[in-house]
Amino acid sequence: MRSLTTILVTGGAGFIGSNFIHWLLGRADFQGRIINLDALTYAGNLENLVDIEARYGAAAEETGAARRYFFVQGDICDRSLVERTFSKYQIDTVVHFAAESHVDRSILGPEAFVRTNVLGTYTLLDVARQAWRLPSGAMREDVLFHHVSTDEVFGSLGEEGYFTEATPYDPRSPYSASKAASDHLAMAYHHTYGLPLTLSNCSNNYGPYQFPEKLIPLMILNMLEGKPLPVYGDGRNIRDWLYVEDHNEAVWTIMQEGQSGRTYNIGGENEWENIRLLERLIELVAEEAGLDAARLRGLITYVKDRPGHDRRYAIDCSKLKKELGWKQSVTFDEGLRQTVKWYLSNPTWVSRVRSGAYREWIEKNYTSR
Ligand code: NAD
Ligand code: DAU
C-alpha cells in the first residue's frame, strides 16, 4: 500500500473535490496534509469547505494542533504557480479533479474546456515530472499522480454492452474530447517519463454540493421553486449513477493500491433512464418536502435535445472490484434521499449558489484574507 502524505487536490472547491476532502480528512487512518488548488470558477465554492477550514486550516494552528488543510487560489494552467505550490508544500501526491465539467457549457463555449482540461492537465503533469525527478535523472517511486476522468471518453452505448478498460475512446462532445485528450497525456507521461500514475474513468456522480446545473440538483431545486423540469429529447437516455462518496472511496483505493500505469473503471452498476429517474426523484422530493407529487409531475417539460446527446453510459467495474476489493456501499434510494435532504436543509447555500451571491460571500469571507 502506498503511503501518501502531502496531497495536492486540484479542483477541491468543486463538487467531487470538496466531497473528497471531507471524506479523506474524516478518515482516522489518514494523517497527512491536503493542499487544495482551485481557481474558483463559477463551479468552485469555498463555502463547501467552511468546516474543513475551521477544523484543519489556519484556525487549527491557533489551538496548537498541526495544520492539515491549505487553500491556494490559482489556475492549473499557471505553471509558475503550480511549481511554487509543489516546492512550498513538498507535494508527493496529486489527485487531479480540476476541470470544466458540464457538457452543455462545452457545447456553448469549448475553449475553456480545451484550456483547463488539456493545457491545465499538461501543466500539472509536466511540473510533477520535473519536481519528482531525482538528480540521477530517474523518477521518484514514492510519489503518485492520480488523474480523475469520466466514462464519457468512451462515447455512447447502444442497448447492450458495457464500457470496460479496453473500450476504445470515442468522445463525442467538446467536454469528453478534452477529457480524452487529458487521459492520453496522463498515460503518455507515464510511458514516456516513467511518471507514477493511475487513472480512473467514472460514471455519473450525485450527492451534496453538486452545482445545480447538473440533472439531479437542478431538478430538485426546480421542484422546490415550482419551475419547469426540462427533460432533453425523449427522456430515455440512460446514465449509470454513483453516490459521490463511493466514487471517492474508489479513487482513494486506487491511489493506495492501484498499479501504476493502469486505468480503472468506476461505476454504480445502476442504470436509469432520465425520465424514470425524474419520476423517482419527484416521489422523494414530494415525501421529504411535503409537496404534491402530481403537481410536481405536471412540471415535467420535454425540451429540445442536447446536440450529440450520448444515448447510454454503463460501466463494467469488475476489474476494480476483483483486483482492489472496492464495492459500492450506498444504494440509489438511500443516496438520492440523502441528497434531497441535503438540498432541503441547506437553503442558504442553495440561494447563494442559485443567485450567484456565493461569489460575493467568497470575496468577503475568504479570498481577502
Ligand atoms: P465541478 O465542475 O463541480 O468542479 C470543478 C472544480 O475545478 C471547481 O472547483 C473549479 O473552480 C475548479 N477549476 C476549474 N478550472 C480550473 C482551473 N483552470 N484551475 C484550477 N481549478 C479549476 O466538477 P466535478 O463534477 O466535481 O468533477 C470533478 C472531476 O471529476 C472532473 O475532472 C470531471 O471530469 C470528473 N468526473 C465528474 C463526474 C460527475 O458526474 N460530476 C463523473 C466522472 C468524472
Ligand atoms: O458520465 C460522467 C459525466 O456525468 C461527467 O463526466 C460529467 O462531468 C457530468 O456532468 C455528467 O455528465 P452528463 O452530461 O451525463 O450529466 P448531466 O447532469 O448534464 O445530464 C445527465 C442526463 O440528463 C443527460 O442525459 C442529459 C439529461 N439532462 C440534463 C439536464 C441538465 C436533461 O434531460 N435535462 C437537463 O436539464
Side-chain angles (χ1 to χ4, degrees), residues 347-361:
T348 315
W349 184 96
V350 167
S351 73
R352 275 204 276 259
V353 167
R354 285 288 249 197
S355 66
Y358 72 110
R359 316 290 327 160
E360 286 160 35
W361 182 91

Side-chain angles (χ1 to χ4, degrees), residues 206-208 216 220 241-246 270 272 277 280-281 284 287-288 327-343:
Y206 69 99
I216 288 179
I220 296 173
W241 294 93
L242 180 69
Y243 194 61
V244 63
E245 275 188 10
D246 279 339
N270 176 40
W272 285 75
L277 164 53
R280 181 67 195 121
L281 200 51
L284 285 173
E287 271 174 45
E288 293 295 334
K327 61 177 186 333
Q328 307 89 348
S329 63
V330 180
T331 67
F332 197 42
D333 248 27
E334 278 164 17
L336 262 193
R337 194 179 289 278
Q338 276 177 38
T339 305
V340 169
K341 282 185 172 168
W342 189 87
Y343 282 92

Side-chain angles (χ1 to χ4, degrees), residues 292-309:
D292 178 40
R295 196 181 64 78
L296 295 181
R297 270 193 286 278
L299 298 174
I300 294 177
T301 310
Y302 285 90
V303 298
K304 201 163 158 241
D305 209 354
R306 172 187 278 175
H309 195 175

